[in-house]
Amino acid sequence: MDVQVVPDQDLEAYYYYPEPIDRAYVRLNYISSLNGKVSVNGRSAAFGTTGDKLVFRRLRRLADVVVVGAGTVRADGYRGARSSESLQAARRLRGQAAVPPIAVVTASADLDPDSPLFKDAWVPPIILTVRSAPPSNVKRLRESGAEVMIVGEDRADVRQMLGALASRNLCRILCEGGPTLFGQLFAAGAVDEVCLTLSPQVGGAGQISPDSSNLLPMRIEAVLARDETLLIRYVRKA
């Protein structure tokens, strides 16, 4: 497959979700160094490039919901997703909400209601937690305006989580990490697509997901290049 250099305005065409969407479709997006590491001092930002940031924004524009683990929210200081007026109009034309909510997976429901995720957000976050989470934590998040959804007993159940999102018509799912959540999605065989950015750097620490003997065959859909960065889109084999 040829590697293509694509203008900014054409990027979305490479990342449209398949239509029609009638179930949860899970897309993972992450960046790694050339030696397969995912963070420096606990954060992935050190690997960021112009190409990666462009794709990051485009993927969010197309998603119904952005799903992320609580550890990544804390480490990266997540705030709510945003969208300009023109992008909001384009989303509405596609039948989507004007701004995609951030959905956080957490077994403890231990999130700070004064953090940017809540205070610097255009739409309230969705909290995907479990029945055993401390009631006081759940109550505090609900009082902050978050929508809380129970998706398991002691740990988040992938099928319940995806079903809960799909029941709200949030089927175009973009998952941005972290490793534990990626591992759960891989183990459940729930990943439809992987968008991998290879940063032109060597070094770092951490891994994409925990070790597993389960293999999920993928095929290359597109390979793009920008500023020494490779942007690879893999789709699950039928």
Side-chain angles (χ1 to χ4, degrees), residues 30-156:
Y30 58 87
I31 188 170
S32 82
S33 63
L34 294 178
N35 55 316
K37 300 304 180 181
V38 296
S39 66
V40 176
N41 297 323
R43 302 187 64 187
S44 62
F47 295 136
T49 64
T50 300
D52 175 61
K53 292 173 183 176
L54 284 170
V55 170
F56 178 88
R57 290 193 291 267
R58 295 310 188 277
L59 295 185
R60 282 195 167 194
R61 290 180 186 181
L62 297 171
D64 291 330
V65 61
V66 179
V67 179
V68 63
T72 300
V73 166
R74 298 185 192 102
D76 290 346
Y78 261 62
R79 60 187 175 96
R82 296 165 179 272
S83 188
S84 67
E85 289 187 8
S86 61
L87 292 177
Q88 290 181 39
R91 288 178 60 85
R92 289 191 182 100
L93 285 175
R94 293 197 297 263
Q96 295 177 288
V99 180
I102 303 293
V104 183
V105 183
T106 169
S108 66
D110 185 14
L111 295 166
D112 182 4
D114 292 321
S115 69
L117 178 70
F118 295 85
K119 296 298 186 182
D120 190 14
W122 291 13
V123 293
I126 297 171
I127 308 302
L128 301 168
T129 192
V130 296
R131 209 167 303 281
S132 62
S136 58
N137 289 354
V138 173
K139 181 174 182 290
R140 183 170 68 249
L141 296 182
R142 282 190 169 127
E143 289 175 346
S144 73
E147 178 180 359
V148 178
M149 306 178 81
I150 304 300
V151 294
E153 295 299 324
D154 297 312
R155 62 177 297 177

